[in-house]
Amino acid sequence: MRARVYVTLKSSVFDPQGTTVAEALHALGYQMVSGVRQGKYFELEINENDPEKIKIIANEISKKLL
């Protein structure tokens, strides 16, 4: 089964890429966008059938590595 993991920067970490995207959106006329945070998406293929075990494994992987 697949587990999807979204990793973002902590709110205390400066995000220059997010700031650049927000500024570009403002230049395009999207003044209603008040902020952008960038992140990464990982898709894990886990050889396990129990959804609860998959969730536990994905959480462990996220904390230890991602």
Side-chain angles (χ1 to χ4, degrees):
M1 293 184 80
R2 286 190 183 143
R4 293 183 180 103
V5 179
Y6 298 91
V7 179
T8 58
L9 298 171
K10 293 181 179 181
S11 59
S12 62
V13 176
F14 181 64
D15 183 359
Q17 186 176 3
T19 301
T20 300
V21 170
E23 290 170 356
L25 289 171
H26 292 162
L28 290 171
Y30 296 101
Q31 301 301 324
M32 72 291 288
V33 176
S34 60
V36 177
R37 300 289 290 175
Q38 69 99 16
K40 293 187 181 229
Y41 164 77
F42 296 89
E43 194 168 275
L44 307 173
E45 192 70 40
I46 301 174
N47 294 326
E48 176 60 58
N49 293 323
D50 183 355
E52 198 57 39
K53 285 184 182 179
I54 291 171
K55 189 175 184 179
I56 290 168
I57 292 167
N59 281 328
E60 286 177 6
I61 290 170
S62 298
K63 290 178 183 176
K64 290 180 180 179
L65 181 64
L66 306 177

